[in-house]
Amino acid sequence: MSKHLTKRSDNYSKWYNELVVKAGLAENSAVRGCMVIKPYGYAIWEKMQQQLDIMFKETGHENAYFPLLVPKHLFEAEEKNAEGFAKECAVVTHYRLKSDDNDKTKLVVDPEAKLEEELVVRPTSEAIIWNTYKNWIQSYRDLPIKINQWANVMRWEMRTRLFLRTAEFLWQEGHTAHETKEEAVEEAILMNNVYAQFAEEYMAMPVIKGKKSESERFAGAEETFCIEALMQDGKALQAGTSHFLGQNFAKAFEVKYANKEGKLDYVWATSWGVSTRLMGALIMSHSDDNGLVLPPKLAPFQVVIVPIYRNQEQFNLVSDKAKTIQKDLQANGITVKFDDRDTHKPGWKFAEYEMKGVPLRIAIGPKDIEKGTVELARRDTLTKSFVSADDVSGTVIQTLEDIQKNLYTKAHNFTTNHTKFIDSYADFKAYIENEGGFAECFWDGSAETEELIKKETKATIRCIISEDDLEGKKCMYSNNPAKAKVLYAKAY
RNA sequence: CGGGGCGUAGCGCAGUCCGGUUAGCGCACCUGCUUUGGGAGCAGGGGGCCGCAGGUUCGAAUCCUGCCGCCCCGACCA
């Protein structure tokens, strides 16, 4: 492993790519656009999953699993959804290989084994799920259905980047069915709020909640709610989306229920998801030129203990102390790794855990044993202090809380400092070009304005913040009466 | 799919223009000794179908042709 990471100020994108690899989170694989998520990276994803799963269950959802492959006729049933995803679908056309007649060591697709109907590798699961819900729903007594699935999906993207955009990615997708429009809208908003809460409390990442403009909406949705986060390079990252699907899928799949009056009606739907892209968001929100910085609530281990010693006798002494502290911390619910490997030196370990973003490091050496102290090093501030070995747990618990808060505060200040209200297009262009960040602006609600601004500046409407109090407000671009206050930014 | 670049050890690269001993360097790896409070030092060692397939030549990593793959910039996107 090389010693240094490219600096963010030199090349942000290179910094990110190197960081993901050097911190042991993920790497590119032999499959185009698909990544291998390595154990340390997967451990973070598991932490995210565990917490989200708890939150989904608290809001009344159950997990289930639907097939990876979707028959083409089902996939095309909801027109807009099909059209939106058609360009990036992997398709299974055959079910068998055979050895090549010209070269027995090679395999070729057996032309005899062509499928009568192609199977689409799911880019999202609405189709297969709604086709299933059709069989599950007859009466209002069958509603609501609130299901989540943890799965992989595939979207054949042109250009991929580890975690931010890969051809295959892991995510969760919630799919719910409701009696009324109001209930479905409420559900979509609720889940967007759950995402926002997760981002802020666990990822320590401030987000802006809003809804998408029509052009940025999910294919097949009536309304898309989203959370947007600002990365350190001033670009926005869509961190989660929650869709109110209206009756579009119910109509496409003929999902009707008998209501309390005995009349048949189409059900109302939502879907919502967050993906391994959250890993990218987490990495970019807090990390620095020394490597990853993780919030304590999502770190695979919150504390690492590094022993320092010259000989076996010292090691035994230090190791005893370390194990006592480790047990005590574990008893307090803190995850601790004691790195007693003799194959690497302390300095190497310090650098390594800094790269991996472990929130707190405890070093214990002969001097500490003498003085009854340990050295405590914070990853977020890179500061070190000596604390009494008698109450390490108390100090650690307090410090971990501080770190979690500090990361949020830092990110929040960054977002606030890089969010500007702008009402002149000239200022807007200069801001997007030179500073980067969120721009709050009034918008006339037209797709033309949106499109032109995108063409001229590469900034897009990340979300609509509000549609109230627009009396006398003018669109920054067209000067026409404003229909909404929106957030613009260049996006990932 | 348009424009640019690159394929040489696990990783990062030099060598290619101008063909010529045994293909080299850094990191990593292995062995030994000394080390261990911020990525240790010295000594020794292992590892290459030079992207693939043809061609030119006495001789090809180097020249020619074709193919494949990857990266970057655009269009597309959670």
Side-chain angles (χ1 to χ4, degrees), chain A residues 63 81 84 112 154 173 217 265-266 281 343 452 470:
Chain A
N63 286 332
N81 187 251
E112 302 289 306
M154 176 159 274
E173 45 183 327
R217 217 173 264 164
D265 197 2
Y266 291 110
T343 50
L452 287 167
L470 298 168

Side-chain angles (χ1 to χ4, degrees), chain A residues 254-486:
Chain A
E254 278 297 314
V255 187
K256 290 184 196 175
Y257 74 102
N259 63 22
K260 286 166 191 162
E261 286 84 49
K263 283 191 201 152
L264 282 182
D265 197 2
Y266 291 110
V267 305
W268 298 84
T270 80
S271 70
W272 27 274
V274 293
S275 71
T276 36
R277 174 179 256 198
L278 286 182
M279 293 286 296
L282 185 70
I283 295 160
M284 288 197 289
S285 292
H286 310 301
S287 301
D288 61 24
D289 291 345
N290 296 304
L292 194 63
V293 177
L294 291 172
K297 287 187 182 180
L298 294 177
F301 43 95
Q302 298 163 312
V303 177
V304 62
I305 303 176
V306 177
I308 292 155
Y309 53 92
R310 285 173 200 280
N311 50 48
Q312 190 61 41
E313 192 190 341
Q314 284 185 352
F315 175 77
N316 292 342
L317 224 59
V318 165
S319 180
D320 282 349
K321 188 72 199 166
K323 283 177 181 163
T324 307
I325 290 172
Q326 181 182 30
K327 268 194 196 139
D328 187 34
L329 288 170
Q330 283 168 340
N332 282 285
I334 294 162
T335 48
V336 191
K337 174 174 173 174
F338 173 39
D339 187 352
D340 61 352
R341 287 178 297 174
D342 194 32
T343 50
H344 296 283
K345 301 197 352 169
W348 190 93
K349 292 177 185 174
F350 292 168
E352 173 74 1
Y353 292 115
E354 228 156 73
M355 184 65 80
K356 286 181 168 295
V358 179
L360 270 182
R361 182 184 75 228
I362 293 174
I364 308 173
K367 291 180 209 162
D368 295 301
I369 301 286
E370 237 174 75
K371 292 188 291 181
T373 58
V374 301
E375 185 195 69
L376 197 62
R378 275 175 74 144
R379 178 62 185 88
D380 61 333
T381 55
L382 294 169
T383 51
K384 290 192 260 193
S385 58
F386 286 94
V387 305
S388 163
D390 296 334
D391 184 30
V392 176
S393 285
T395 313
V396 165
I397 290 168
Q398 186 55 50
T399 311
L400 288 173
E401 279 175 23
D402 280 356
I403 294 172
Q404 182 80 29
K405 265 191 222 151
N406 178 47
L407 290 180
Y408 179 80
T409 306
K410 249 165 91 176
H412 186 262
N413 289 342
F414 179 86
T415 304
T416 309
N417 294 336
H418 290 82
T419 303
K420 267 192 187 159
F421 174 77
I422 298 179
D423 59 0
S424 125
Y425 188 54
D427 291 353
F428 178 84
K429 278 201 281 197
Y431 175 71
I432 294 293
E433 174 75 24
N434 304 324
E435 296 178 55
F438 284 139
E440 285 182 9
C441 309
F442 287 109
W443 173 50
D444 62 15
S446 77
E448 293 75 42
T449 296
E450 194 181 2
E451 182 61 27
L452 287 167
I453 289 179
K454 183 179 179 180
K455 261 199 187 137
E456 292 167 22
T457 67
K458 288 181 187 165
T460 51
I461 295 179
R462 299 323 306 150
C463 63
I464 295 166
I465 315 166
S466 99
E467 291 166 307
D468 307 322
D469 303 323
L470 298 168
E471 196 64 32
K473 307 293 189 208
K474 305 274 193 198
C475 173
M476 165 191 71
Y477 186 84
S478 69
N479 231 22
N480 291 331
K483 294 256 173 64
K485 192 180 194 183
V486 300

Side-chain angles (χ1 to χ4, degrees), chain A residues 176-189:
Chain A
T176 67
H178 307 266
E179 272 186 78
T180 64
K181 176 178 178 177
E182 291 67 32
E183 196 182 304
V185 170
E186 197 179 308
E187 163 80 5
I189 292 171

